[in-house]
Amino acid sequence: MTDTRQVTETSEPVIEARGLHFRAGASHILRGIDLTVDRGEVVALLGANGSGKSTLVRALVGINTPSAGTVRLLGAPLGTGRRTAAVDWSRIGYVPQRASAGGGIPSTAQEVVASGLLHGRRLRLPRGWRDQVEAALEQVGLADRVRDPVHLLSGGQQQRILIARALVREPDLLVLDEPVAGVDVASQEAFAATMERLVDGGLTVLVVLHELGELEPLVTRAVVLRHGKVVHDGAPPPARHDHDRVGHRHQHPHADDNALGAEARVLDLEVRP
Amino acid sequence: MMLMLTDPFMQRALIAALLVGITAPVVGTYLVQRKLSLLGDGIGHVALTGVALGWLVGAGMGLTPNDALAIPGAVVAAVIGAVLIEVVRRRGRTSGDLALAIMFYGGIAGGVFLIGVAGGSSGNLMQYLFGSISTVTDGDLWLTVVLSLVVLAVGVGLRHALFSVSHDEEFAIASGLPVWALNIIVAVVSALTVTVAMRVVGLLLVSALMIVPVAVAQQVTHAFGRTMFTACVVGVVVCVSGLTITYWYNVSPGATIVVLAIAVYAVVSLVAPFLTRRRPAHDPHPDLPDDVDLPAAATERAVAAAKECR
């Protein structure tokens, strides 16, 4: 990123959503969301399963087309079809909640991460892409897995491959959908350390979380969704009572968020020491 | 052998088989990756209507031979059919399967119906259904060469972008890639491949040449790029050797090539387990602490287990 770009765009919010609605058939999932993320912020998007977190971030990166409302990314309007060209996709990295079912053909970590180097109108890999891919895998601690087929890696490792795929283009904005769900504490700590380094380097982050966990010291602001609306936007709220007990560890087995109704209860499985 | 290579009919046939052997697996790799293995079949059926339409128009214009427009007709119909399937797939994913089925039936029925209208019989369609590589003319060959080059330029030149879209379409959208355009490109390239392969193996067996080499390759490799390359090698080998067999024995080239491909698949699936088992075993478990504090005895067992893996 060049200095001039930093200077000219400091005033623009990195993400700006206004009056966002999203309907899927009869269910009204997002009901008027306003969200602004400024440069350098680390914003946590919190809420129970089915509150609309994933739907919101998917709308913010263009996967879900909102029924109403507008999204601006890095100052450019996000539209459908040809109009998405206005957004500078080289500066945005997205990490989906879980690996897609994938294709019918096995592919290596290198091939999957390299696909992160393509964005916007860039349809061919740049020179030196192998080094960039290796550096991204290094950041998530999987440098020795470059040639391994992704489908043979564990769930946590696959998650890290997806993070490397978003990091490989060296984004200014990272949008993550539950990056540490189902990942053990040691890996969560390693992930938090990576994020801290990137945030120090000026990265802006919007991260969907179930609880703040290892990322708590980094998070500058929390947005809480309930029933498709923003019910809190400000300082990270304290965890529910009993969550700050010494040695408390969490694991959240996830059903498919989208399949659960708004009243689906939160599943908390505690592994006590 | 020299006799075969100096025969102009055979020369043209060999070049056509070589081109089809390379192009069909390239496109087939993307189709298998998106779990659309049957798309080639659907397009092939639609192309039959195009062949008949070409006859009808050719007969109406009084052209000789009366199938002069059959291949251009097939190209047009196949492209339209492929784009339609893509449109349906985009609008509602669940109905894509049904659309494909309707296209299968409509394509065959339309072809037989129209050929009757054009004053031909369904017998005239046989050479398109099962291939007629020995009747490849210079004009056909040039069309095959040009279409193959287009398919290869797109399929190989854009392989990383097409991989991205086929592997994880949502991530490709979130990267701002022109996903819709890339999907249409895959559909059009598939249609061109079907019409290229039509003369060699016939519309009913086109899809086999796109899919079976990929199925062979998948058993011996775990990478997308290498799967595509291996599939091309398999495709060329079965196409050229299948055609060579038919020079000496009076059997259908299309059928011979496909039977050969399936035989290769069967042999490789028997042999592949022995090939992969030879690789040295390694410990797949990372040596990381987990989230539970173990009692002393369990910790000892964990250390012992780690040693066993090494």
Side-chain angles (χ1 to χ4, degrees):
Chain A
M1 189 164 76
T2 62
D3 287 336
T4 49
R5 210 155 58 169
Q6 275 183 18
V7 172
T8 51
E9 291 185 10
T10 34
S11 53
E12 291 263 31
V14 175
I15 298 176
E16 192 178 20
R18 289 283 163 268
L20 218 54
H21 286 261
F22 183 78
R23 290 183 180 82
S27 46
H28 196 169
I29 300 173
L30 300 181
R31 304 190 299 134
I33 303 264
D34 290 316
L35 176 69
T36 307
V37 177
D38 288 315
R39 242 182 75 81
E41 279 194 298
V42 178
V43 177
L45 195 55
L46 303 168
N49 285 343
S51 57
K53 294 169 303 192
S54 287
T55 308
L56 175 56
V57 290
R58 287 159 59 85
L60 294 177
V61 295
I63 297 172
N64 289 341
T65 308
S67 319
T70 57
V71 176
R72 293 176 75 84
L73 290 175
L74 302 159
L78 175 70
T80 49
R82 214 167 294 156
R83 280 173 293 156
T84 53
V87 175
D88 185 356
W89 293 101
S90 69
R91 298 170 58 198
I92 300 168
Y94 168 66
V95 181
Q97 189 166 12
R98 68 203 121 230
S100 70
I105 293 178
S107 24
T108 61
Q110 187 183 46
E111 288 172 324
V112 172
V113 174
S115 67
L117 285 167
L118 304 177
H119 45 73
R121 292 296 173 265
R122 178 194 270 177
L123 302 180
R124 297 171 65 93
L125 293 178
R127 263 169 210 285
W129 63 272
R130 285 186 180 82
D131 296 336
Q132 283 172 275
V133 166
E134 203 143 332
L137 281 169
E138 183 82 58
Q139 282 190 310
V140 298
L142 289 175
D144 56 331
R145 301 287 188 158
V146 176
R147 298 196 185 284
D148 282 19
V150 170
H151 72 286
L152 295 183
L153 299 179
S154 73
Q157 287 170 329
Q158 288 187 14
Q159 189 80 42
R160 280 143 73 191
I161 294 286
L162 299 185
I163 294 170
R165 181 176 66 173
L167 290 180
V168 71
R169 62 178 72 141
E170 296 174 14
D172 297 335
L173 165 66
L174 198 56
V175 178
L176 305 109
D177 197 348
E178 303 226 21
V180 287
V183 174
D184 61 53
V185 169
S187 300
Q188 284 193 33
E189 282 165 357
F191 170 68
T194 305
M195 292 305 290
E196 189 174 359
R197 203 171 60 241
L198 293 166
V199 169
D200 286 346
L203 183 72
T204 306
V205 178
L206 176 65
V207 54
V208 172
L209 288 174
H210 218 70
E211 54 168 2
L212 295 173
E214 305 290 342
L215 287 178
E216 187 162 14
L218 285 180
V219 171
T220 55
R221 185 156 64 93
V223 173
V224 181
L225 288 192
R226 288 252 167 102
H227 300 283
K229 285 200 158 174
V230 174
V231 294
H232 173 88
D233 187 346
R240 284 207 311 267
H241 74 282
D242 189 44
H243 274 223
D244 50 356
R245 188 162 42 76
V246 175
H248 173 91
R249 298 293 192 218
H250 257 86
Q251 279 187 340
H252 298 277
H254 279 227
D256 189 343
D257 274 11
N258 303 326
L260 290 172
E263 276 139 30
R265 73 198 165 86
V266 183
L267 296 168
D268 277 15
L269 177 84
E270 298 190 4
V271 179
R272 291 169 200 277
Chain B
M1 196 58 147
M2 284 313 291
L3 195 70
M4 182 181 94
L5 292 177
T6 49
D7 180 347
F9 281 108
M10 201 59 192
Q11 283 171 350
R12 286 195 290 265
L14 276 173
I15 294 172
L18 193 72
L19 289 170
V20 169
I22 298 173
T23 50
V26 167
V27 176
T29 309
Y30 296 116
L31 297 186
V32 174
Q33 174 79 343
R34 350 175 107 210
K35 301 187 173 153
L36 278 175
S37 299
L38 291 177
L39 182 68
D41 269 316
I43 297 171
H45 285 58
V46 174
L48 191 73
T49 298
V51 166
L53 210 56
W55 270 65
L56 190 61
V57 173
M61 292 163 67
L63 295 177
T64 47
N66 47 11
D67 66 343
L69 292 178
I71 292 186
V75 173
V76 171
V79 169
I80 292 173
V83 171
L84 271 182
I85 292 172
E86 189 51 45
V87 170
V88 169
R89 201 177 75 88
R90 177 171 146 110
R91 288 184 57 192
R93 258 137 222 281
T94 47
S95 56
D97 166 59
L98 210 57
L100 210 54
I102 290 171
M103 229 157 247
F104 270 50
Y105 314 136
I108 292 281
V112 174
F113 177 77
L114 287 176
I115 201 79
V117 174
S121 71
S122 46
N124 294 124
L125 291 177
M126 288 302 276
Q127 58 169 316
Y128 297 99
L129 283 175
F130 295 104
S132 59
I133 196 164
S134 55
T135 62
V136 171
T137 63
D138 277 337
D140 291 341
L141 190 61
W142 277 114
L143 191 64
T144 302
V145 170
V146 170
L147 292 182
S148 299
L149 288 180
V150 171
V151 170
L152 285 178
V154 172
V156 177
L158 286 178
R159 65 186 180 282
H160 298 293
L162 295 177
F163 167 79
S164 180
V165 171
S166 307
H167 178 75
D168 188 345
E169 191 167 306
E170 290 192 345
F171 179 77
I173 294 171
S175 299
L177 290 176
V179 171
W180 169 234
L182 290 168
N183 282 337
I184 288 292
I185 285 174
V186 171
V188 170
V189 160
S190 309
L192 295 181
T193 309
V194 165
T195 45
V196 164
M198 175 171 81
R199 294 308 292 266
V200 177
V201 289
L203 291 171
L204 285 183
L205 294 175
V206 159
S207 204
L209 257 195
M210 297 168 116
I211 305 307
V212 179
V214 179
V216 174
Q218 253 192 316
Q219 307 200 39
V220 291
T221 156
H222 281 306
F224 184 83
R226 207 172 294 165
T227 298
M228 185 181 277
F229 179 78
T230 313
C232 288
V233 172
V234 173
V236 169
V237 169
V238 297
C239 278
V240 171
S241 47
L243 189 64
T244 310
I245 290 172
T246 62
Y247 186 74
W248 307 105
Y249 300 97
N250 186 22
V251 281
S252 153
T256 310
I257 289 168
V258 173
V259 167
L260 208 57
I262 291 171
V264 171
Y265 174 80
V267 170
V268 169
S269 58
L270 286 176
V271 174
F274 298 101
L275 292 177
T276 45
R277 212 173 286 165
R278 269 217 232 122
R279 279 192 289 178
H282 68 283
D283 180 13
H285 316 106
D287 200 10
L288 291 172
D290 47 30
D291 302 349
V292 287
D293 289 330
L294 293 171
T299 310
E300 276 168 29
R301 281 196 288 275
V303 171
K307 271 186 193 145
E308 281 167 27
C309 281
R310 239 168 251 139

